Amino acid sequence: MGGNQTSVTEFLLLGFPLSRRTQLLLFGLFSLSYAFSLLGNGVILGLISLDSRLHTPMYFFLSHLAIVDITYACTTVPQMLVNLLNPAKPISFAGCMTQTFLFLSLAHTECLLLVVMSYDRYVAICHPLRYSVIMSWRVCITLAVTSWASGSLLALVHLALLLPLPFCGPQKINHFFCEIIAVLKLACADTHVNEMMVLAGAVSVLVGPFSSIVISYIHILRAILKMQSGEGLQKAFSTCSSHLCVVGLFYSTAIIIYVGPQHGGPKEQKKYLLLFHSLCNPLLNPLIYSLRSKEVKAAVKRMLKKQRTS
C-alpha cells in the first residue's frame, strides 16, 4: 500500500448522482432554503438584540442557537451549491479539513446549547421563584461560553486524529460535504481509533445530553400538570413545545446518522438525512420559535409598528 500512497491536495465531492436538470432544480430549491434560513435566523437575532423585552435567558440562548444555525448552513450549503452547478470542481485538502472541523464544532455546540435551553425551561417552570437567582446573567454567559468551548474542543480532538492519516487515491468523497465518516473511508491506514472516537463523541454529545433533556422534561411535565392557572399552563406548553420540536428534529436525525451502525447500513439514506439535518434544521428552527412564541410575535408587531410610525 505504501507504494501507491500519494500526497492528496484536493478532494472531489460526489454529492448526489442525479441528472443535470434535477441538479439545476435542486440548486434553485436549496438556494431559496439557504436564503430563507439566513433571513429567518437573522430576523430572530435582530429582534432579540433590538427588543429589550426579549433580553431574557431563554432568548439569550436562542440567539446563540441562531448564530450556530447561520454558521452551520454557511459551512455546508455553499459548497453543495457549487457542486450542483459544477460537479467536477474539487475542494482543497485544507478547505475540506476546515469544513469537517467547523461542522463537528457547530454540531457539538448545538447539542450542548439545546441541553442548556432545556435546563433553563426546567428552572423557569419547576423553580419560578428562584429563576432570576439561578439563571443570572453570569451563569447564562458561563453556560454559553462552555457550550462553544466544549464543542470546539471535541471537534479539535477529531481533527487532531484525522490530520496525521495518509490518504491515497481515489480522492472521491461519497458525500455533499467533507463529512468525517466519508473522509475516513479514503484513508489508506487503520481508522479504527478514529471511528471509535466518532462513536464515543456521538454518544457523549447525543445520547447523554438527550437523556438529560428527557429527564428535565419529565420534571417539567409534572410541574405543568400541577399548575392551577390556565394562562400559566398555556405559556408553559407554548415555550416547551417549541423547544421540544427543535430537540426532536435535531437529535432524531443525528442519533440515526452517528450512533447507528456505520457499516452495512443504508448509506444513501443517511446522506439524505444529513442533508435534511444541514439544510432544513436551520430553516425550521426560527419558524418553530416564531410561530410558537407569543413574545416573538409581539416583538415582530412592535417592530413593524415602529417602522410605520417612524
Side-chain angles (χ1 to χ4, degrees):
M1 186 177 288
N4 295 329
Q5 184 174 318
T6 56
S7 178
V8 174
T9 59
E10 59 186 26
F11 294 102
L12 185 65
L13 296 167
L14 297 181
F16 303 97
L18 303 167
S19 66
R20 186 61 181 160
R21 180 176 294 181
T22 306
Q23 286 180 330
L24 291 176
L25 179 64
L26 288 179
F27 175 82
L29 181 63
F30 292 166
S31 296
L32 283 174
S33 299
Y34 178 55
F36 281 120
S37 66
L38 296 183
L39 178 63
N41 285 288
V43 168
I44 291 289
L45 274 176
L47 287 173
I48 292 172
S49 61
L50 295 175
D51 196 317
S52 59
R53 299 185 190 183
L54 298 182
H55 292 175
T56 63
M58 183 178 77
Y59 290 103
F60 171 75
F61 295 125
L62 180 58
S63 68
H64 281 267
L65 186 65
I67 293 170
V68 169
D69 283 338
I70 289 172
T71 318
Y72 208 57
C74 292
T75 299
T76 57
V77 179
Q79 183 65 47
M80 180 175 60
L81 294 176
V82 169
N83 288 343
L84 286 171
L85 286 180
N86 185 8
K89 185 176 177 61
I91 182 173
S92 68
F93 181 85
C96 187
M97 295 299 108
T98 302
Q99 191 179 56
T100 301
F101 169 76
L102 288 175
F103 177 82
L104 290 172
S105 177
L106 293 165
H108 294 156
T109 302
E110 183 160 359
C111 285
L112 299 174
L113 280 175
L114 289 174
V115 175
V116 170
M117 292 174 76
S118 71
Y119 175 69
D120 171 70
R121 292 299 82 205
Y122 163 75
V123 176
I125 294 172
C126 298
H127 305 283
L129 298 179
R130 299 175 57 201
Y131 179 72
S132 59
V133 176
I134 297 173
M135 298 302 295
S136 64
W137 282 113
R138 183 178 178 179
V139 170
C140 292
I141 293 170
T142 301
L143 289 172
V145 170
T146 302
S147 298
W148 283 97
S150 300
S152 300
L153 185 61
L154 286 169
L156 200 58
V157 171
H158 289 297
L159 188 66
L161 291 172
L162 180 63
L163 285 175
L165 292 176
F167 292 91
C168 0
Q171 59 261 38
K172 295 179 180 179
I173 300 176
N174 185 21
H175 223 290
F176 61 90
F177 77 104
C178 291
E179 193 268 338
I180 188 167
I181 298 296
V183 174
L184 285 174
K185 293 184 184 302
L186 303 185
C188 48
D190 185 14
T191 59
H192 180 70
V193 174
N194 300 74
E195 291 172 0
M196 290 303 296
M197 282 300 298
V198 171
L199 180 59
V203 170
S204 65
V205 299
L206 288 173
V207 178
F210 182 71
S211 300
S212 67
I213 291 174
V214 170
I215 293 170
S216 296
Y217 271 95
I218 289 173
H219 290 288
I220 288 172
L221 182 60
R222 288 176 179 173
I224 288 175
L225 294 176
K226 293 178 182 178
M227 286 184 179
Q228 301 296 326
S229 169
E231 184 179 350
L233 186 67
Q234 185 179 3
K235 184 177 180 181
F237 267 120
S238 176
T239 56
C240 290
S241 61
S242 301
H243 184 247
L244 278 176
C245 287
V246 173
V247 166
L249 282 171
F250 183 87
Y251 278 94
S252 59
T253 52
I255 289 174
I256 291 171
I257 293 166
Y258 288 106
V259 181
Q262 297 299 328
H263 300 285
K267 296 181 179 60
E268 288 300 315
Q269 290 183 21
K270 287 188 176 183
K271 192 194 295 186
Y272 285 105
L273 272 176
L274 198 49
L275 174 65
F276 175 85
H277 190 73
S278 304
L279 188 67
C280 297
N281 274 12
L283 173 65
L284 293 175
N285 286 354
L287 288 175
I288 291 169
Y289 278 106
S290 60
L291 291 175
R292 298 291 302 171
S293 173
K294 290 183 178 180
E295 289 90 348
V296 173
K297 290 179 183 177
V300 171
K301 290 178 182 178
R302 287 193 295 270
M303 192 62 62
L304 291 175
K305 186 177 180 180
K306 187 177 179 181
Q307 289 294 327
R308 289 173 185 171
T309 55
S310 61

